[in-house]
Amino acid sequence: MNQQHLPEKKALNWAELGFQYQSTEYRFRAVHRNGEWSEGELITDKMISVHEGAPALHYAQQCFEGLKAQTAPDGRVLLFRPDLNAERMRQAAGRLLMPHVPEELFIKGVESAVRANYAWIPPHGSGAALYIRPMLIGVGENLGLKTAKEFEFRVFVSPVGPYYKSAGLATISLAVSDLDRAAPAGTGNYKIGANYAGGLLATRQAQELGANEALFLDARERRYIDEAGSANIVVAMTGGRFVTPGSSAVLPSVTRRSIMALAEQELGLKTEQRGIDLRGEIADFEEVAACGTAAVISPVGKILVDGNWHSFYGNGEEPGPITQKLYELLVGIQRGEIADKYHWTHEVSI
Ligand code: PLP
Ligand code: COI
């Protein structure tokens, strides 16, 4: 699109946005019937009409993704590693016996929804981003426990601000949950709705204890850190070590993968992916952070373990220097402010 003819941005107070659904004009929709995907199209109807027996409704045969589009200083619109989201949705579809969304269709859906809603993409410097939610659901008439015969792939977008109420790099707190999120050979490493429904009560309980989120331990021994309800965990430990759980039951986070690379290659830290024995190692934690598309890098100031709060850098009230640096690097690349030497950004032509 010619720069002169770009649609005018919406008159939103971008800096005040939270993480809420904001309706935009267009969404992308493709359907899978008789073994084939339709080409897909942009539609305006935000409602989905499905059969009352749809397997997505009864047996949670559905998966989803989450990524963001951001505006660079020169106006380019950038996605962050969308190929990894496409691959993760492929894995989830396979686990739930759904047809996979080919990478080209996934990227086409994401790009089309972003481009069509250009007016809703927060401008550079606003601190906000366009959150993109691709989803794949099993629809069509059904009753018994079996895979759907028809599927819908949909992508909608919504401008968002910070996931946690406190903006920017303010610290959050976590409370260890007595509930399990995912079994060792279950579905914890797939981005599927069923994992999140089971976590709602844990989040509420954590909030009742004064924390932002639940922290889940491994379900087998309740000893090793798995992850938070909507983000992975990274820990800067004594001795220049930068560690993240090796658990196979956590979501393989695109953000975490990127942060681990930055910690090693840009900060020269010794990175490790291994079991982190929470009670046994917490005394060595210097900085803790929760990371994800929505959470970005949120410094964790304190964790409630067995009724006692443990706080980290700066008495838990401010981000530590490693978290700060990683945030600046990651967000700088995502927003096109820092040279993208890892080739992580993907421009959406407008
Ligand atoms: N863990 C859970 C449970 C999540 O919901 C998310 C969010 O997507 C993440 C981790 C972070 O993953 P990503 O960095 O790919 O967004
Ligand atoms: C994301 O970070 O993209 C997520 O999907 C987390 C979700 C709970 C908002």
Side-chain angles (χ1 to χ4, degrees):
M1 207 181 284
N2 185 319
Q3 283 285 330
Q4 272 115 41
H5 298 113
L6 288 177
E8 221 171 281
K9 296 276 178 184
K10 299 287 169 183
L12 290 190
N13 194 352
W14 307 104
E16 295 300 313
L17 289 176
F19 197 89
Q20 271 111 33
Y21 179 86
Q22 159 72 57
S23 180
T24 67
E25 276 88 20
Y26 299 100
R27 55 277 299 132
F28 180 86
R29 173 176 185 265
V31 291
H32 189 274
R33 276 196 201 109
N34 305 321
E36 268 184 60
W37 279 109
S38 66
E39 270 183 25
E41 58 182 345
L42 285 166
I43 57 168
T44 54
D45 190 355
K46 65 184 80 131
M47 305 304 280
I48 302 181
S49 176
V50 293
H51 192 278
E52 61 191 0
L57 299 180
H58 298 264
Y59 307 126
Q61 194 183 28
Q62 70 84 248
C63 61
F64 66 101
E65 271 303 324
L67 64 164
K68 282 175 174 169
Q70 316 228 31
T71 309
D74 59 6
R76 283 175 310 135
V77 175
L78 304 176
L79 303 174
F80 187 68
R81 311 187 80 176
D83 51 315
L84 298 184
N85 297 93
E87 173 55 25
R88 197 167 60 186
M89 183 171 260
R90 165 193 276 275
Q91 300 290 335
R95 178 66 174 82
L96 300 186
L97 298 188
M98 299 198 277
H100 78 269
V101 177
E103 182 172 332
E104 310 83 71
L105 180 61
F106 184 94
I107 299 289
K108 175 179 164 185
V110 168
E111 289 192 334
S112 308
V114 169
R115 195 179 290 123
N117 294 294
Y118 176 82
W120 296 97
I121 308 173
H124 184 79
S126 65
L130 190 75
Y131 186 75
I132 305 159
R133 175 53 64 84
M135 56 196 270
L136 172 63
I137 60 178
V139 297
E141 185 182 311
N142 182 61
L143 188 58
L145 179 55
K146 54 187 179 303
T147 179
K149 292 193 195 69
E150 291 180 14
F151 299 85
E152 175 162 337
F153 171 59
R154 190 176 268 239
V155 185
F156 70 82
V157 301
S158 176
V160 295
Y163 189 65
Y164 298 106
K165 279 192 198 90
S166 35
L169 257 191
T171 58
I172 61 162
S173 57
L174 302 176
V176 171
S177 181
D178 296 332
L179 301 173
D180 295 324
R181 175 182 175 274
T187 55
N189 53 334
Y190 300 97
K191 198 160 177 68
I192 66 178
N195 294 335
Y196 294 80
L200 288 171
L201 177 61
T203 309
R204 172 169 299 176
Q205 289 174 344
Q207 288 168 349
E208 283 167 0
L209 292 166
N212 294 82
E213 273 248 32
L215 177 64
F216 294 102
L217 300 185
D218 78 285
R220 187 180 275 127
E221 295 185 67
R222 292 273 179 80
R223 179 171 169 196
Y224 300 100
I225 297 180
D226 258 359
E227 64 177 323
S230 55
N232 278 181
I233 298 293
V234 291
V235 184
M237 289 202 201
T238 49
R241 293 170 295 159
F242 194 76
V243 191
T244 194
S247 171
S248 58
V250 306
L251 192 75
S253 156
V254 175
T255 316
R256 172 174 78 163
R257 182 166 158 176
S258 312
I259 290 173
M260 295 306 286
L262 293 171
E264 185 173 303
Q265 293 177 43
E266 303 296 320
L267 304 190
L269 298 171
K270 282 177 267 171
T271 57
E272 298 169 12
Q273 187 158 356
R274 60 163 175 84
I276 304 176
D277 180 342
L278 178 66
R279 297 176 188 84
E281 297 190 71
I282 199 164
D284 292 342
F285 291 7
E286 292 186 332
E287 297 179 37
V288 180
C291 62
T293 298
V296 193
I297 301 180
S298 296
V300 176
K302 52 184 187 166
I303 304 181
L304 184 63
V305 191
D306 307 326
N308 297 311
W309 285 103
H310 295 255
S311 50
F312 312 109
Y313 185 84
N315 221 6
E317 274 159 28
E318 51 179 310
I322 292 174
T323 308
Q324 178 93 38
K325 189 74 196 140
L326 287 170
Y327 177 88
E328 283 162 14
L329 286 168
L330 179 77
V331 171
I333 295 171
Q334 291 175 332
R335 293 184 182 155
E337 293 162 354
I338 296 180
D340 180 16
K341 71 178 193 198
Y342 300 98
H343 307 292
W344 284 342
T345 57
H346 171 115
E347 183 180 347
V348 180
S349 62
I350 298 295

